[in-house]
Amino acid sequence: MSRIITVGRQFGSGGRELGKRLSDELGVPYYDREIISEIAKRTELAEEYVHRIVEQRPEYHFPITVGRTLQGGASDYLMQQYASVYAEQTNVIRELAERSDCVIVGRCADYILRDRKPLRIFVYADMDFRMARCRERGQKDEVASERKLRRKILAVDRNRRRYYRSYTGQAWGNPANYDICLNTAGTDIKAMAHALAVMIKADQE
């Protein structure tokens, strides 16, 4: 029985770590930023630009492109770029799921692969935990201000919510849209990933 696992996550909740540890436990590929690299390659857009828009609702930012020029209205061109990025994101994710069992983090993968009925996980935690985690993993100059860090966390979550709703019509983080919702605050993510892997393996038997 095949198993595709998608992981949605609040910023700073440890969702990326959980996804990577889960893929290691199950012995299946893990995909996250690799998807961005592939989209950039296929669209001939700069990877930095692709990374900036894949979790945001379409807005008018000027893209850094390779070998492309503006034709017609700038706003039409930019919207075409957003549509192109999402189309390639959909293609890449579907191809990865066809290739083998895997764990995919973010990128609306739970919705894009809905016909394959993936195991949809959403990871969340309280603000204190997320701020502490960001401080542990961030550069000192990036997290010096508690207010600045809190605003960054809220901004990333807001962008993810808007992006998800724009392309899926659903509410990001709504428990009804997921099979498992995990609160990582005060937990050992490594142990949590192991427990999840045991459950998944048992379900496949």
Side-chain angles (χ1 to χ4, degrees):
M1 171 179 156
S2 65
R3 173 59 78 186
I4 307 300
I5 300 166
T6 63
V7 181
R9 76 283 185 219
Q10 290 183 330
F11 184 69
S13 65
R16 181 174 284 118
E17 179 186 344
L18 179 75
K20 183 62 174 67
R21 289 188 180 280
L22 186 56
S23 76
D24 291 342
E25 287 273 354
L26 296 173
V28 300
Y30 166 87
Y31 299 112
D32 181 6
R33 290 169 179 160
E34 297 86 351
I35 296 173
I36 302 298
S37 299
E38 185 61 26
I39 293 171
K41 188 185 305 181
R42 296 187 185 194
T43 59
E44 296 184 341
L45 294 167
E47 191 167 326
E48 179 184 353
Y49 172 68
V50 175
H51 178 73
R52 190 165 69 245
I53 70 172
V54 292
E55 293 184 338
Q56 297 185 33
R57 180 177 58 183
E59 295 176 5
Y60 297 130
H61 296 296
F62 191 83
I64 304 170
T65 61
V66 178
R68 299 196 178 203
T69 58
L70 285 173
Q71 296 181 358
S75 63
D76 289 343
Y77 175 81
L78 292 176
M79 292 310 292
Q80 289 173 7
Q81 294 303 314
Y82 279 105
S84 175
V85 167
Y86 185 76
E88 288 304 333
Q89 175 175 274
T90 297
N91 292 336
V92 170
I93 288 173
R94 286 177 176 167
E95 289 169 17
L96 294 175
E98 286 287 343
R99 188 179 303 168
S100 69
D101 291 358
C102 58
V103 176
I104 302 177
V105 173
R107 327 295 176 208
C108 297
D110 57 318
Y111 181 81
I112 290 170
L113 299 175
R114 61 193 182 283
D115 58 322
R116 297 181 64 91
K117 300 188 183 304
L119 178 63
R120 303 163 301 171
I121 299 172
F122 189 81
V123 182
Y124 68 99
D126 61 53
M127 181 59 73
D128 288 343
F129 174 84
R130 293 195 281 159
M131 290 181 67
R133 185 177 175 83
C134 287
R135 287 187 180 280
E136 289 173 3
R137 288 159 177 73
Q139 299 297 320
K140 290 183 179 180
D141 59 340
E142 293 179 353
V143 296
S145 167
E146 180 173 335
R147 182 179 179 183
K148 181 178 179 181
L149 178 57
R150 182 183 294 271
R151 289 178 62 182
K152 176 182 178 180
I153 291 172
L154 293 175
V156 173
D157 281 356
R158 182 170 58 252
N159 287 335
R160 289 178 178 176
R161 185 178 300 108
R162 289 174 174 174
Y163 179 85
Y164 189 85
R165 181 177 292 278
S166 292
Y167 288 108
T168 72
Q170 299 182 359
W172 177 80
N174 181 353
N177 294 330
Y178 304 93
D179 302 300
I180 300 175
C181 292
L182 297 171
N183 183 353
T184 52
T187 65
D188 183 331
I189 293 179
K190 181 178 181 180
M192 181 179 283
H194 176 71
L196 267 176
V198 170
M199 182 192 74
I200 292 168
K201 290 176 182 177
D203 186 55
Q204 291 178 320
E205 294 177 354

